[in-house]
Structure formats: structure tokens, C-alpha cells
Amino acid sequence: MRDLSPDLINSLSQSVTTFCMAWKLELKDGRVFGFSEHDRDLVIDGVTYSAGSSLTESEAEHRLGFASDNGAIEGVLDAASISESDITDGILQEAKLSRLKVNWQDPTQFIVISVGDLGQVTTRRDHYEIEWLGLSHKLGRSTGRVFSKKCDASFGDARCGVDASQFPDGTVCPKTLEACRHQFGNVINFRGFPFLLGDDGLYSGPKEGAPKDGGSRYK
């Protein structure tokens, strides 16, 4: 639940409101751009939001729980803010986009609706479209190592330790323990987990006639 000030709640409850949408774009190099759909510049929390920026929200979806919010923002390429060359140079990579609803009569009254990362950016003539992803999308990422029966090192890299130049071009490493031991003599650097149990092992019961002494079934 968002913590709203009494003044903001009062303004939002009026039959006729003076609110507009605004967007704050924070680049990884520290630069901040503000955009607003209002017809004059607004200063919100120390950031100037350009009037009539042509930035519009073409699509948005908000979900409860841990599902990821997402949407799209469209705009016209403008050398004064974001140009096509900027996008080509990757200026929007790892940028953060905040969506705000602000009272243009009193910009101290605003609410941050969502904060997300920028996804895919596409350009069409003088227009661009930015995909934005709610911060909860990070929960779906795989980070760190993946536990697998096969080796997760690349053949010949520092973690593998094998001198790939000693083998013919096109040599393929199947990344199994057997191949690492018998084909490359490199089992000491094997980066997989060959004895990792699969679903069949996790859910299977003791074999018929096997002693039930609490010991390992893989002796």
C-alpha cells in the first residue's frame, strides 16, 4: 500500500482533477531526463519534466503479487533529448524508468506509480518504442551457477583448464564426466555435479528387498 499525503488524497478525490502523467528516465551514466504530457514544464522533486515531450504510454499492465508489471512507452526522436544515434549507441541500456502521476497545479503532489528497467528498444522512422519491465521481472532471472550433471565451463577456458590448441579443430566436448576423464584426462577440473539426483531419484522409494537401515541407496 502506498503512503499518500492527506493533500494528495484530497486532490485525487475531487470530481475534477488536475493530474497528468510524467516519466523520469535515469541513465546508467547518471544523467536524468524528465518528460511530461502537460503543456508546460514541471519541476518535480528537483527534476525538470519537459512539457509536451511527445512521450506517451502506449500500453501498460499491472499485476498483483510477484508477477512482473510491463508496458511500452512511445516517443518522437528529438536531438534535444534522445536521438536515434543515442539509441544506436546503447544509451538506454541498463536505464531505469519511473512513471509518475502529478498534480500540475501543485507538482509537490505526485505519486510514483511504478519503477522499472528498460527492455527492448525499437525505432521506426522518427519514432521509438521502449519496453519497460517492472522490477519484479528480476525475480525470474537465473543468477550464479546452474547446478547440472554436465560441466558448465567452456571448452578450453580458464575454468576448464584444457589447452584446446592440443586438439584438432572442431573437437567437441560433450561436457560429461566420462568425456572429461577418458577423452581429455581433465576430471580434476570437471565443473559439473555428476551425482546430482534427478526427479526420479528424489521421488523413488527403496528397492524391493533392500535393507531399510537409513543408509545410502547408491553405495
Side-chain angles (χ1 to χ4, degrees):
M1 179 178 294
R2 295 183 174 91
D3 185 15
L4 306 182
S5 68
D7 290 341
L8 179 56
I9 293 174
N10 180 63
S11 296
L12 289 169
S13 64
Q14 300 300 312
S15 57
V16 178
T17 63
T18 54
F19 283 83
C20 65
M21 295 300 300
W23 301 268
K24 181 170 70 171
L25 182 63
E26 300 174 76
L27 305 183
K28 62 181 180 181
D29 62 9
R31 286 183 291 168
V32 178
F33 294 93
F35 307 94
S36 153
E37 64 181 4
H38 193 44
D39 58 4
R40 61 181 174 85
D41 291 352
L42 301 174
V43 178
I44 307 170
D45 201 22
V47 176
T48 299
Y49 289 70
S50 301
S53 63
S54 75
L55 198 68
T56 59
E57 185 173 304
S58 60
E59 180 183 350
E61 184 176 354
H62 306 283
R63 303 172 182 172
L64 297 175
F66 291 104
S68 179
D69 295 342
N70 56 58
I73 302 294
E74 290 184 348
V76 176
L77 295 171
D78 182 357
S81 53
I82 299 174
S83 66
E84 185 174 5
S85 61
D86 288 334
I87 295 176
T88 303
D89 293 340
I91 192 176
L92 298 180
Q93 292 181 358
E94 300 180 28
K96 184 172 69 174
L97 184 70
S98 302
R99 301 169 58 248
L100 301 85
K101 193 168 187 176
V102 57
N103 184 350
W104 52 264
Q105 283 193 336
D106 181 2
T108 63
Q109 296 181 12
F110 67 91
I111 179 173
V112 178
I113 298 175
S114 62
V115 179
D117 297 326
L118 297 193
Q120 183 178 5
V121 180
T122 57
T123 58
R124 306 188 304 274
R125 296 182 181 177
D126 61 341
H127 285 73
Y128 61 85
E129 181 172 309
I130 304 171
E131 176 190 29
W132 62 267
L133 304 169
L135 295 181
S136 56
H137 83 279
K138 294 182 179 180
L139 298 176
R141 291 180 181 174
S142 295
T143 57
R145 293 187 61 188
V146 175
F147 288 84
S148 169
K149 290 185 178 181
K150 291 189 175 183
C151 180
D152 65 350
S154 296
F155 181 57
D157 69 4
R159 295 178 65 239
C160 170
V162 168
D163 184 359
S165 65
Q166 301 299 314
F167 296 87
D169 291 342
T171 298
V172 176
C173 178
K175 296 181 177 290
T176 63
L177 180 66
E178 291 73 17
C180 195
R181 175 185 287 123
H182 301 298
Q183 185 177 353
F184 302 101
N186 191 45
V187 70
I188 192 171
N189 288 324
F190 186 71
R191 303 296 180 175
F193 302 85
F195 305 110
L196 187 69
L197 293 179
D199 291 342
D200 54 343
L202 293 174
Y203 291 106
S204 63
K207 297 180 180 178
E208 184 176 355
K212 299 180 178 61
D213 58 3
S216 172
R217 72 181 68 167
Y218 299 103
K219 292 179 179 179

